[in-house]
Amino acid sequence: MKIDVLIVGAGGAGLYAALSAVKENKDLNIAVLSKVYPTRSHTGAAQGGINGALANVDPTDNEELHTFDTIKGSDYLADQEAVKYMCYEAPKIIREMEHMGVPFSRLNNGKIAQRPFGGASKDRTCYSADKMGHVMLHTLFEQCIKEGVTFLNEWFMLNLVHNGKRLVGVTAINIATGEVELIKTKAVILATGGHSRIYWGYTSNALGCTGDGTAAILRAGLPVKDMEFLQFHPTGLRKSAILVTEAARGEGGHLLNNKGERFMAKYAPDKMELGPRDLVSRSIMTEIRENRGFRDEEGREYVQLDLTHLGAEKIKKRLPQIRELAIDFEGIDPIKEPIPIKPTAHYAMGGIDTNVKCETPMEGIYAAGESQCVSVHGANRLGGNSLLDIVVFGNVAGKEAVRYAEGTDFAKGGEGKKEEEVKFIKELMNKESKETLGDMRNELGEIMFKHFGVFKNEDEMQEGYNKLKNLIERAHKNLGVEDKSKVFNLDLQSTLEFFNLLEIADVLAYASLQRKESRGTFFRDDYEKRDDENFLYHSVITRNSDGSFNYKKGEVQLGLYEPAERKY
Amino acid sequence: MEKIKYTVKIKRYNPEEDRSYWQDFEVEVEDSLTVLELLMHIKDKMDSTLTFRAFCRSAICGSCAMVINNRAGLACKIQAKDKIKRGVIKIEPLKTLKPVRDLVVDQEPAFDKLKKIKPYLEADPKIVPDNTKVESLVLPEEFARYDKQTDCILCMACYGQCNAIEGNPEYSGPFQLTKVFRFVMDTRDGMDIQERIKLAEDNGIWDCVQCQMCFAACPKGIASCEDILELRRVAKDTGEDNVATRRAKFWFETVFATGQIDKFNLPAVALNDEKGEEIRNNLAKEFTQRGISQEHFVPQPFENIKDFQKFIKKVEKEL
Amino acid sequence: MKKIGIYPGCCFQGADEHNYDIIVAFLDNMGLGNVLLDRAACCGGGVIDETNKKIVYGLNARNIALAEKEGVDLYTPCNTCYMIIAKTKLALDSDPELKDAVNKILADEGLEYKGEAKIYHTLNLIRDFVGLDEYKKRIKRQISGVKIAPYYGCHVLAPNEVAVDDPEDPTILREILEPLGVEIIEGYQNETTCCGYHAGFTSPGQKERLAIKPLEGAKEAGADIVATPCPLCHKAMDGYEEPILQVTQLINVACGMTPEETHIHINKTEVKLSL
Ligand SMILES: Cc1cc2nc3c(=O)[nH]c(=O)nc-3n(C[C@H](O)[C@H](O)[C@H](O)COP(=O)(O)OP(=O)(O)OC[C@H]3O[C@@H](n4cnc5c(N)ncnc54)[C@H](O)[C@@H]3O)c2cc1C
Ligand code: SF4
Ligand code: SF4
Ligand code: FES
């Protein structure tokens, strides 16, 4: 198969990239490949909204304030010009999507409604009740149908193939048939989403948020960036870790400890519940650690998110999905009772290292969306900035990839890689499993949550890293695929995804150990302060052929705002 | 943590042998599992070949629709313990789509039908600005008309339960028609309303049997059956003249006149052809044979019908 | 004597007039008195919506208010009337604004929707209003030697909110048929497929294709007769090879009436009951 521009991933980033690519050059052969049907992508789970200084609610808002809030929120690790670009694009791209049909909630004057969100100085988050990602994803998909975009649905990308100078193609399995193919392509955009599933069982993410693209980049010898930064969202449901959007606090929800106190008064007296995520997550964990949390019969610890005072009407209108989730997954109606919540692994700030043009160091390989790290989120992403990031950089990636593909031909070779994949999979299928995938996945989640959780320190991390190394070794030795069928073999797919998770957990743990400071979401008990002198840099990591890591310090582009202490 | 024991009866499909069969799994699990968690338990602990789709596990991605105890729904949204009937939970793939393997069905035909109805906004240049300095204005009450319909997650539970498809495999399907409704109602849409309605008609609004199964199945509470009636209304109001719109008009007229639908004259009026006349004549003959008196052929207005008519007028205007 | 309000829908009219006799006799056999709600109007039949959906609320709020004025609950044997009226009740009871608005208009006719009257269909009437024990006592003779396939139809099981029994595993029809001494055939092909009645005009071919499916399934499974509570399903499915009757007709026979007395001879497809 030959495709001029291949987009891997059909979330917000992938679909926007596809639309911009198709609009840029209709004559190219452009296709989107995704392991799930496009509308299943995890972008659909985004609830709260998308940021842009439309100034519909607060006329004093502007792009500059958005830029500053984002940089401050990032704990000054974001690249400032990139942030500026994103924030100035925001109102335009949001309106662009509105013109495509996104059904935003509206103000009484007919303009797009906006709500307050954590870490934002103004009411800036555009929303559609509490299903922003869902309506965005579906609208983008609809527009792709309109533009006649080609889709390869339920195809699983395995690896990138390059010749050391430029991209040759990608290898992928057609899930329905089990056939491995080499797809030759001039340019590829990796829009494969996040990897919070390394916290298996403790994450808001979908089962398939396994960082496949990021792992493929590592295997291709290309760099990942800022991998130690993974955000915990303060409000995951107690049992399932499913997300309760920040909008629940934006709409006025209170966080309560077992004394019935709004404990955020201690930690963020000004912003209260609307402090940035890193701070709120730590505050919750502190309450729990100091025995001011709740504990249920199963021993799960949590605090309460109280919406009852908002009243039935507001909850039904603004947070209908949250109500549904609380009822379905906790058996609690938030109109009547507070929701039990605890922090949940949520968003990967780190990812594939690219510049603002979405280019990786390898010609022809681009990345966009959560899998990418420009970086615009630095050490901590603000709520509502990811949906923005994925479309802004999806747009850039689509255009850049087309431009590159226009000026080049298909590279030769790559067939050997396909044979390698076939052989690898065959071996995996023939191997007798000595341990089960289910158990090992749970083990991974336990290790990561315990040792690389909201609070970290040297000893805990070292211990965790040892456990992780052991798990990785066992997995490669003991894990095979029991399901021998070729058709829709999800057992095989899950196993491959698990190997990707291990790849990522490994690099995340490694990167965490190198950073001896606290910054944004990355918090160490043993180094509680930010240390700009020694650590104001991006960690840029590649894997050497012997398996070891190569660690480099990437420069953080400042220039607009000098790093200052964050207070909320 | 309470554990309970029961049987999970799963209808599996083996593509290599093109064979469907039922398999029982005896489980002993916590009582707080969703059906999806139950299936994952079986896959993790009992049979790793069991195949089903799942992704978000929070009822938003639409991957996991299947038939649980004869009713289509989302496995991740349904509590397993609520579904144990006499010690058994029965799980099958969606019925109106072909199985690919076990609980995985081939959704392509249903997506193809979606594509056919042009499921996208064609921006109306009168409403949608040609630049990104401003957005189109949509009043909250305008949005409210199709707000619910934008909740659709394309899970196909409704499709799997649709009787119209049983009768006519070409029938588009409930969620597809809800999508037409969604764009018909969107003030920003610039596609000619007649074209939208024609898409709805060509794809089956008159084939729907109003069985309500789509509504019963929908995890998002969307009533495609009602959207279809609304599309029929729009068809009628935009000048469509066919057996169905004539029926609708006559129905209202006679209910207004007497309180009841005049079923004696309905076929003749609706069909508006010789066949309709013939039905009426036959009815008349049958009635006479059975000794039904002439005045009972058609409903007679009940007492104080004028008050009833005032009531209907007011309802139309004020409710 | 307990009394129930009979809601007269279009299934008692014209060619279907005999349905009225059937249910009056049935109520009689159950030892119930009745009040005919003679100023009640058409439920809308899922067609009035095509004029204006609000009328459906108005019509049925008024229908229920008429029953409430008489101090009785409302009974209809028709699946569709039942579903539409029950759905309206649900909407009114959960939306005080709608209820107030309707009541303002109803006041002109001296009516008020209070939300007190229950909505009954034959199936839940027997179970909840008559009581299954009392019901069994009223059966006088057994209709033995016949195999009956229960057919619920759609609108007593969907939407879930108004279903008369567990929609996933309904047993009520079996519980009602068993005491008649018949043999029950369940789990046949297309047992839950729609009868197609409501496509009769809009798509006649569709109606034909659907109506025959459950009948064929029942026949294949060895049933002599299909039994449905719904007069519309009956009408849609009568006239094919496999005969269909209304449950109330069978009950009437078991309570001592002759098949003719309860209009079984009107069936297009002939039915033989050995008594
Ligand atoms: C519960 C939740 C709520 C959120 N709420 C908000 C919010 O309110 N506001 C906000 O700004 N952000 C929010 N976020 C974050 C935001 O939704 C995500 O960061 C963003 O949607 C990621 O988009 P994406 O396009 O990069 O990736 P995704 O939407 O995850 O898409 C990834 C795509 O890649 C494909 N893919 C992956 N691996 C492979 C492979 N190996 N082969 C083929 N295809 C592959 C997948 O099929 C999928 O199509 C939320 C996140 C979560 C989890
Ligand atoms: S009401 Fe119509 S669309 Fe809905 S399931 Fe029945 S036949 Fe299908
Ligand atoms: S209408 Fe409901 S059941 Fe049908 S596809 Fe959409 S969400 Fe699923
Ligand atoms: S897994 Fe996404 S809807 Fe069930």
Side-chain angles (χ1 to χ4, degrees):
Chain A
M1 203 185 309
K2 274 189 172 177
I3 286 162
D4 293 321
V5 177
L6 181 71
I7 296 147
V8 183
L15 295 184
Y16 214 100
L19 284 175
S20 88
V22 167
K23 285 177 189 163
E24 191 76 12
N25 187 340
K26 260 205 167 2
D27 301 329
L28 285 186
N29 180 355
I30 294 162
V32 179
L33 176 145
S34 169
K35 63 181 176 184
V36 293
Y37 205 86
T39 54
R40 318 289 181 223
S41 299
H42 201 53
T43 293
Q47 300 167 348
I50 175 167
N51 295 340
L54 271 60
N56 286 350
V57 170
D58 184 341
T60 64
D61 196 15
N62 59 43
E63 287 89 341
E64 197 182 333
L65 287 172
H66 186 185
T67 306
F68 176 70
D69 288 344
T70 302
I71 292 170
K72 178 180 171 193
S74 81
D75 222 350
Y76 296 90
L77 192 70
D79 290 347
Q80 302 193 352
E81 276 303 324
V83 174
K84 185 173 170 188
Y85 174 74
M86 175 177 86
C87 297
Y88 278 76
E89 281 297 297
K92 290 185 261 174
I93 206 157
I94 288 171
R95 293 197 184 103
E96 182 86 47
M97 289 194 290
E98 191 279 323
H99 299 348
M100 291 179 187
V102 171
F104 284 101
S105 292
R106 300 286 175 155
L107 300 170
N108 285 333
N109 65 9
K111 289 189 177 177
I112 295 173
Q114 297 185 283
R115 61 166 43 129
F117 237 52
S121 55
K122 306 282 172 187
D123 294 5
R124 186 182 296 138
T125 305
C126 306
Y127 62 93
S128 179
D130 52 2
K131 43 180 196 211
M132 188 67 236
H134 162 75
V135 296
M136 242 175 80
L137 181 68
H138 282 250
T139 305
L140 293 175
F141 177 59
E142 288 160 9
Q143 291 296 308
C144 285
I145 293 179
K146 185 174 171 200
E147 301 296 337
V149 172
T150 307
F151 283 98
L152 295 168
N153 294 324
E154 304 194 313
W155 278 69
F156 183 79
M157 183 197 72
L158 299 165
N159 277 299
L160 296 158
V161 188
H162 64 76
N163 58 18
K165 284 204 198 71
R166 58 171 285 208
L167 173 74
V168 174
V170 306
T171 49
I173 303 188
N174 180 349
I175 300 170
T177 62
E179 292 304 329
V180 176
E181 289 239 19
L182 170 70
I183 303 173
K184 289 251 194 163
T185 174
K186 296 174 186 169
V188 68
I189 300 171
L190 295 174
T192 43
H195 51 249
S196 297
R197 270 279 146 188
I198 55 173
Y199 292 86
W200 198 271
Y202 298 90
T203 172
S204 64
N205 280 203
L207 297 167
C209 293
T210 49
D212 301 344
T214 312
I217 280 284
L218 272 172
R219 284 194 297 268
L222 297 169
V224 292
K225 183 159 76 194
D226 291 343
M227 289 300 283
E228 61 272 40
F229 297 100
L230 194 138
Q231 180 175 71
F232 286 82
H233 193 291
T235 56
L237 290 178
R238 161 188 53 180
K239 292 184 193 160
S240 56
I242 288 170
L243 192 77
V244 176
T245 171
E246 191 157 313
R249 282 169 287 139
E251 295 294 345
H254 295 163
L255 289 170
L256 304 177
N257 62 17
N258 66 13
K259 298 201 167 71
E261 296 163 342
R262 282 179 72 186
F263 56 83
M264 283 311 296
K266 274 181 287 187
Y267 307 96
D270 265 5
K271 294 241 110 190
M272 295 293 284
E273 279 84 359
L274 286 178
R277 288 181 179 171
D278 53 341
L279 182 63
V280 181
S281 288
R282 277 198 299 280
S283 309
I284 294 173
M285 291 309 283
T286 306
E287 292 297 301
I288 290 175
R289 276 179 163 191
E290 294 173 3
N291 293 322
R292 288 187 299 277
F294 301 81
R295 176 189 278 271
D296 67 12
E297 284 165 23
E298 266 96 71
R300 285 180 290 237
E301 294 183 304
Y302 62 96
V303 298
Q304 291 181 332
L305 173 62
D306 186 11
L307 307 180
T308 52
H309 57 283
L310 301 181
E313 198 177 329
K314 191 164 183 184
I315 293 175
K316 282 185 190 164
K317 209 162 152 202
R318 302 273 180 83
L319 303 165
Q321 202 200 150
I322 292 311
R323 177 161 180 246
E324 211 181 292
L325 290 173
I327 293 173
D328 289 344
F329 298 98
E330 287 286 348
I332 276 174
D333 184 348
I335 291 176
K336 298 183 194 126
E337 281 175 82
I339 312 172
I341 57 96
K342 61 169 191 215
T344 177
H346 182 61
Y347 180 83
M349 269 78 66
I352 301 167
D353 179 22
T354 78
N355 58 19
V356 252
K357 288 161 88 183
C358 302
E359 295 165 333
T360 67
M362 180 64 63
E363 251 185 59
I365 302 182
Y366 298 78
E370 193 176 331
S371 59
Q372 167 203 35
C373 178
V374 175
S375 140
V376 284
H377 307 301
N380 177 56
R381 167 175 77 86
L382 294 187
N385 263 355
S386 173
L387 287 180
L388 175 62
D389 154 23
I390 64 176
V391 290
V392 167
F393 290 100
N395 187 32
V396 172
K399 292 203 168 94
E400 293 294 334
V402 162
R403 250 170 248 156
Y404 176 76
E406 281 168 347
T408 182
D409 209 344
F410 291 99
K412 292 203 171 51
E415 285 73 17
K417 185 74 186 169
K418 178 181 157 179
E419 299 316 314
E420 258 174 58
E421 304 285 16
V422 172
K423 188 163 155 264
F424 175 74
I425 288 169
K426 209 174 191 172
E427 277 169 19
L428 208 54
M429 303 269 279
N430 288 336
K431 193 150 90 188
E432 181 122 12
S433 263
K434 296 198 197 69
E435 292 190 75
T436 71
L437 176 62
D439 291 343
M440 290 196 126
R441 270 191 315 219
N442 289 337
E443 193 178 331
L444 173 64
E446 298 292 338
I447 296 173
M448 296 310 289
F449 194 73
K450 179 151 189 289
H451 298 279
F452 299 90
V454 176
F455 294 103
K456 305 175 189 52
N457 63 51
E458 190 70 25
D459 294 347
E460 279 285 342
M461 288 197 289
Q462 271 304 347
E463 192 191 329
Y465 199 34
N466 292 338
K467 287 187 194 169
L468 184 63
K469 285 286 183 204
N470 170 277
L471 178 69
I472 293 172
E473 206 185 299
R474 274 165 36 224
H476 286 284
K477 218 165 54 204
N478 296 345
L479 206 54
V481 178
E482 276 169 47
D483 185 349
K484 309 298 178 202
S485 173
K486 286 201 88 156
V487 181
F488 233 92
N489 191 334
L490 295 182
D491 194 24
L492 169 65
Q493 184 182 327
S494 306
T495 308
L496 296 171
E497 286 172 339
F498 181 62
F499 285 132
N500 287 337
L501 287 176
L502 293 176
E503 192 100 52
I504 289 181
D506 192 3
V507 71
L508 184 140
Y510 174 80
S512 300
L513 280 159
Q514 313 308 313
R515 191 171 282 276
K516 295 186 169 39
E517 65 157 354
S518 288
R519 185 184 294 271
T521 201
F522 184 83
F523 192 86
R524 296 180 58 144
D525 295 334
D526 44 358
Y527 300 94
E528 288 197 354
K529 286 255 154 13
R530 193 173 85 197
D531 177 359
D532 286 339
E533 200 143 316
N534 295 305
F535 291 97
L536 183 56
Y537 65 76
H538 296 297
S539 68
V540 180
I541 300 179
T542 47
R543 196 189 271 285
N544 302 318
S545 49
D546 65 358
S548 64
F549 289 118
N550 179 1
Y551 187 89
K552 282 210 189 97
K553 296 178 180 176
E555 187 193 340
V556 177
Q557 285 168 2
L558 302 169
L560 297 174
Y561 304 98
E562 274 309 301
E565 197 193 338
R566 273 165 90 220
K567 278 207 195 101
Y568 287 95
Chain B
M1 214 178 312
E2 206 157 332
K3 287 215 170 190
I4 40 175
K5 267 188 176 166
Y6 51 92
T7 305
V8 189
K9 213 176 180 43
I10 301 179
K11 190 172 185 183
R12 305 193 58 173
Y13 173 72
N14 179 327
E16 273 100 359
E17 297 167 15
D18 187 24
R19 181 174 69 97
S20 287
Y21 60 99
W22 288 92
Q23 185 174 354
D24 288 0
F25 295 93
E26 308 295 334
V27 297
E28 184 172 359
V29 289
E30 292 102 82
D31 65 357
S32 63
L33 300 188
T34 61
V35 172
L36 177 61
E37 286 165 335
L38 173 65
L39 290 170
M40 286 166 59
H41 170 87
I42 295 174
K43 190 172 176 74
D44 280 354
K45 307 270 180 212
M46 303 170 81
D47 184 347
S48 61
T49 68
L50 181 67
T51 304
F52 50 90
R53 287 192 184 96
F55 202 64
C56 71
R57 90 229 132 87
S58 58
I60 191 68
C61 78
S63 294
C64 67
M66 52 188 73
V67 175
I68 302 158
N69 292 348
N70 301 320
R71 280 297 178 88
L74 296 179
C76 70
K77 190 179 158 76
I78 294 170
Q79 289 294 320
K81 75 166 179 302
D82 298 344
K83 297 286 152 173
I84 308 170
K85 303 277 153 90
R86 293 185 286 270
V88 179
I89 299 183
K90 217 171 84 184
I91 303 176
E92 301 165 72
L94 290 181
K95 287 179 183 169
T96 51
L97 291 160
K98 282 208 184 71
V100 172
R101 185 172 173 200
D102 294 348
L103 301 170
V104 173
V105 293
D106 179 10
Q107 302 179 327
E108 268 326 308
F111 278 120
D112 286 344
K113 288 179 180 174
L114 179 69
K115 287 179 194 149
K116 260 189 153 161
I117 58 99
K118 303 199 177 169
Y120 43 77
L121 189 86
E122 293 257 21
D124 180 349
K126 293 198 290 296
I127 310 280
V128 180
D130 62 358
N131 63 72
T132 54
K133 289 199 197 74
V134 279
E135 59 248 42
S136 6
L137 298 182
V138 180
L139 296 175
E141 57 270 28
E142 291 173 332
F143 175 36
R145 285 181 215 142
Y146 58 92
D147 183 357
K148 184 87 204 159
Q149 285 73 11
T150 65
D151 285 356
C152 173
I153 56 174
L154 306 181
C155 70
M156 306 195 179
C158 55
Y159 190 94
Q161 202 79 48
C162 176
N163 275 294
I165 298 169
E166 292 275 348
N168 174 12
E170 297 296 305
Y171 179 77
S172 165
F175 73 84
Q176 294 87 341
L177 293 167
T178 282
K179 198 60 118 186
V180 180
F181 173 89
R182 178 242 175 280
F183 287 111
V184 165
M185 291 296 149
D186 195 324
T187 47
R188 295 168 298 177
D189 189 48
M191 196 186 292
D192 185 20
I193 187 87
Q194 310 273 3
E195 189 184 344
R196 287 265 184 227
I197 290 299
K198 183 154 186 333
L199 286 167
E201 295 194 291
D202 290 350
N203 290 288
I205 42 171
W206 308 112
D207 269 354
C208 163
V209 290
Q210 284 297 309
C211 66
Q212 312 280 311
M213 289 299 165
C214 45
F215 178 37
C218 180
K220 297 288 159 187
I222 296 167
S224 296
C225 40
E226 290 180 11
D227 298 342
I228 290 165
L229 288 181
E230 278 293 289
L231 287 171
R232 290 178 177 180
R233 179 185 62 72
V234 177
K236 179 172 66 63
D237 294 350
T238 50
E240 175 75 50
D241 181 37
N242 64 21
V243 47
T245 57
R246 286 189 296 270
R247 174 181 75 146
K249 280 186 202 147
F250 186 71
W251 200 291
F252 177 72
E253 283 161 17
T254 60
V255 169
F256 187 75
T258 68
Q260 293 289 345
I261 162 73
D262 170 2
K263 291 207 292 185
F264 177 67
N265 288 302
L266 177 62
V269 175
L271 293 171
N272 195 25
D273 60 9
E274 276 165 27
K275 189 153 169 266
E277 286 299 334
E278 196 186 312
I279 298 175
R280 178 156 57 191
N281 292 337
N282 288 344
L283 274 175
K285 252 187 253 157
E286 189 190 330
F287 287 5
T288 319
Q289 260 170 26
R290 276 164 55 186
I292 296 170
S293 66
Q294 190 101 35
E295 78 190 57
H296 280 188
F297 283 20
V298 297
Q300 301 299 323
F302 50 69
E303 215 181 303
N304 299 333
I305 192 77
K306 287 259 152 21
D307 293 345
F308 170 73
Q309 290 171 342
K310 269 188 230 148
F311 170 77
I312 294 292
K313 282 248 147 68
K314 261 193 158 175
V315 165
E316 274 194 280
K317 256 206 290 230
E318 291 172 22
L319 199 62
Chain C
M1 192 164 53
K2 265 167 109 179
K3 270 205 288 192
I4 188 94
I6 298 180
Y7 165 76
C10 64
C11 57
F12 296 157
Q13 202 205 97
D16 307 319
E17 227 178 31
H18 57 284
N19 284 329
Y20 182 62
D21 303 342
I22 296 173
I23 68 142
V24 169
F26 158 70
L27 293 175
D28 218 33
N29 284 327
M30 292 298 109
L32 299 177
N34 71 70
V35 191
L36 178 65
L37 304 170
D38 54 3
R39 286 173 58 231
C42 168
C43 71
V47 181
I48 290 268
D49 313 53
E50 291 168 39
T51 297
N52 179 338
K53 201 172 150 172
K54 292 184 291 186
I55 303 176
V56 183
Y57 293 130
L59 282 173
N60 293 306
R62 183 178 169 278
N63 288 335
I64 301 170
L66 286 167
E68 290 181 343
K69 194 173 182 186
E70 298 289 336
V72 289
D73 292 330
L74 183 152
Y75 164 57
T76 169
C78 169
N79 281 18
T80 300
C81 294
Y82 166 78
M83 181 274 289
I84 294 177
I85 298 173
K87 227 164 120 176
T88 304
K89 180 176 166 59
L90 216 65
L92 292 166
D93 291 350
S94 61
D95 183 350
E97 265 172 48
L98 178 67
K99 183 171 141 182
D100 288 351
V102 172
N103 271 332
K104 248 196 220 144
I105 312 176
L106 277 173
D108 292 354
E109 272 193 282
L111 291 171
E112 186 191 353
Y113 173 86
K114 299 194 199 78
E116 287 162 2
K118 293 203 180 71
I119 315 299
Y120 284 109
H121 172 270
T122 308
L123 300 181
N124 57 352
L125 184 90
I126 294 174
R127 185 190 58 208
D128 304 333
F129 197 79
V130 178
L132 278 171
D133 288 338
E134 176 66 19
Y135 165 73
K136 283 177 200 155
K137 276 190 221 147
R138 295 194 164 264
I139 305 296
K140 296 213 184 73
R141 59 173 171 178
Q142 301 284 290
I143 314 175
S144 39
V146 11
K147 294 186 188 134
I148 301 242
Y151 177 77
Y152 285 87
C154 300
H155 294 158
V156 283
L157 298 177
N160 298 347
E161 292 76 7
V162 302
V164 298
D165 199 2
D166 178 353
E168 290 165 18
D169 185 24
T171 54
I172 176 75
L173 197 43
R174 179 187 342 131
E175 287 167 60
I176 288 172
L177 289 168
E178 253 163 9
L180 309 183
V182 300
E183 191 183 322
I184 310 279
I185 306 265
E186 282 178 319
Y188 56 93
Q189 272 283 312
N190 295 317
E191 194 176 15
T192 56
T193 301
C194 175
C195 71
Y197 178 88
H198 293 283
F201 275 98
T202 57
S203 178
Q206 177 76 316
K207 186 246 134 188
E208 292 302 319
R209 288 189 295 273
L210 285 169
I212 199 164
K213 285 194 176 210
L215 293 169
E216 285 179 346
K219 185 166 186 293
E220 214 164 283
D224 304 316
I225 304 171
V226 174
T228 178
C230 175
L232 300 187
C233 295
H234 182 206
K235 195 175 162 89
M237 293 162 74
D238 182 22
Y240 299 90
E241 203 182 331
E242 177 84 350
I244 180 164
L245 283 180
Q246 291 175 52
V247 175
T248 39
Q249 291 178 297
L250 288 166
I251 296 172
N252 286 345
V253 171
C255 288
M257 294 173 85
T258 66
E260 257 103 276
E261 279 170 331
T262 193
H263 300 303
I264 289 180
H265 63 291
I266 295 180
N267 245 42
K268 292 206 182 92
T269 305
E270 201 189 335
V271 191
K272 286 202 199 76
L273 290 177
S274 49
L275 292 160

